[in-house]
Amino acid sequence: MNENLFAPFITPTIMGITTLPIIMIFPCIILSTPKRWLPNRIQTLQIWLIRQITKQMLSMHNTRGRTWALMLMSLILFIASTNLLGLLPYSFTPTTQLAMNIGMAIPLWLATVIMGFRNKPKVSLAHFLPQGTPTPLIPMLIIIETISLFIQPLALAVRLTANITAGHLLIHLIGSATLALSSISMTVSTITFTILFLLTILELAVAMIQAYVFTLLVSLYLHDNS
Amino acid sequence: MLQNLMKNVWTPLKPYYTQVYQEIWIGMGVMGYIVYKIRSADKKSKALKGKSFGDGYEIGMGSFS
């Protein structure tokens, strides 16, 4: 039972060679680039969606922050598409791996911090002390703000990992419970199936929301530092 | 193939890779260093564990010779 429960989170291999690069590149096949002036229906829909998200996400940034448009849009599209594809049965979700999420969070967060210290060093240092702090609290607050700064990438990564992993595990558990109860009591099994249905709808929403939250926080750190 | 790659990828994205994403490259370097340190520490601890287990085994077996 324990083996089966965590089996979806083991990176799949084919004859000892990891298939993770193929899995990560797979969403690119779904998001196609139009080669013609007037693309087909699916491409038009995708382009419209991407433009809407870009407009909404980058409205708060200045010129320097908007140079990160490509990076932020790639990020949100990658996380949303991998999360949504991971809800299909027997699929593997790369974003359940903490290593991958830390690999995404640390470079982006560190880039925003370095950008802040490089372009506006005084303002970046001033972020360590909120305005209006009473004088006796200053040393403690600087320590707390430093710790909260270093926690940011870990929080970004762990938030995504935990949400997606927990959702997948819940679906697996409640699905197994539905199946097990179907031979014992149909009524209870139907109730459990309804819970499973609602949970799947929730997981669809969580998949997209987590992508949005990740990208929004990175863009917020960028806004603070650009 | 390389010419296509240069024409389609490098030429349009050159200003991004060279100017905009400078800090991201630094972040990736730091990330790579962290990964390297974690992996080497893991290898060292596994080697140490294997060695200490092997020593006990050898001592146990050596007493018969």
Side-chain angles (χ1 to χ4, degrees):
Chain A
M1 173 66 184
N2 280 338
E3 228 281 332
N4 279 335
L5 203 54
F6 292 104
F9 303 115
I10 300 170
T11 316
T13 56
I14 294 178
M15 293 193 289
I17 304 168
T18 174
T19 52
L20 200 57
I22 304 169
I23 295 167
M24 283 170 67
I25 288 171
F26 180 70
C28 292
I29 301 171
I30 300 170
L31 298 162
S32 51
T33 339
K35 296 283 181 285
R36 300 185 177 180
W37 180 71
L38 200 64
N40 60 28
R41 232 172 278 198
I42 287 188
Q43 286 172 349
T44 313
L45 188 66
Q46 284 173 354
I47 291 164
W48 172 81
L49 201 66
I50 292 169
R51 283 213 179 121
Q52 287 297 109
I53 301 171
T54 314
K55 272 191 263 183
Q56 206 269 320
M57 209 141 242
L58 295 167
S59 55
M60 65 165 162
H61 288 295
N62 55 14
T63 318
R64 191 189 292 277
R66 283 181 190 170
T67 55
W68 274 51
L70 203 61
M71 175 60 70
L72 292 172
M73 289 319 299
S74 309
L75 192 66
I76 190 170
L77 283 173
F78 174 69
I79 300 176
S81 56
T82 44
N83 287 350
L84 287 169
L85 283 170
L87 287 169
L88 298 168
Y90 292 109
S91 62
F92 173 74
T93 323
T95 40
T96 52
Q97 308 299 310
L98 185 64
M100 178 172 137
N101 294 333
I102 287 187
M104 284 195 298
I106 288 188
L108 292 171
W109 163 82
L110 197 58
T112 59
V113 169
I114 293 173
M115 188 189 268
F117 277 107
R118 210 174 148 198
N119 300 325
K120 296 195 242 174
K122 278 188 209 166
V123 175
S124 298
L125 276 173
H127 278 133
F128 284 116
L129 193 64
Q131 221 170 9
T133 315
T135 319
L137 283 175
I138 289 177
M140 196 182 73
L141 210 59
I142 290 184
I143 295 171
I144 290 172
E145 288 289 327
T146 314
I147 294 171
S148 97
L149 180 73
F150 284 105
I151 289 259
Q152 278 171 358
L154 293 174
L156 267 177
V158 172
R159 184 185 300 114
L160 184 57
T161 313
N163 269 295
I164 305 299
T165 313
H168 284 20
L169 268 174
L170 265 175
I171 289 178
H172 193 156
L173 280 168
I174 295 181
S176 316
T178 311
L179 210 59
L181 285 168
S182 62
S183 53
I184 298 170
S185 160
M186 272 318 282
T187 325
V188 181
S189 179
T190 317
I191 297 170
T192 324
F193 182 75
T194 317
I195 296 173
L196 179 66
F197 181 70
L198 294 170
L199 187 67
T200 313
I201 295 173
L202 177 70
E203 282 311 307
L204 277 165
V206 164
M208 292 183 283
I209 288 167
Q210 286 305 315
Y212 176 67
V213 162
F214 195 103
T215 315
L216 189 71
L217 283 169
V218 171
S219 89
L220 215 68
Y221 302 149
L222 181 69
H223 181 67
D224 283 341
N225 288 310
S226 66
Chain B
M1 193 192 92
L2 201 63
Q3 271 178 335
N4 263 346
L5 205 72
M6 291 290 285
K7 190 180 78 173
N8 293 329
V9 178
W10 176 255
T11 313
L13 291 176
K14 189 173 157 207
Y16 287 97
Y17 291 155
T18 49
Q19 288 160 25
V20 179
Y21 295 161
Q22 281 171 355
E23 292 97 4
I24 297 182
W25 296 126
I26 298 174
M28 279 174 70
V30 171
M31 184 71 227
Y33 179 69
I34 294 170
V35 167
Y36 164 72
K37 289 303 270 185
I38 293 175
R39 279 179 75 156
S40 69
D42 189 37
K43 268 190 205 155
K44 269 186 210 161
S45 76
K46 279 192 180 140
L48 215 65
K49 220 185 274 186
K51 189 169 175 284
S52 64
F53 182 72
D55 278 348
Y57 190 69
E58 276 169 22
I59 289 168
M61 292 301 291
S63 62
F64 287 106
S65 59

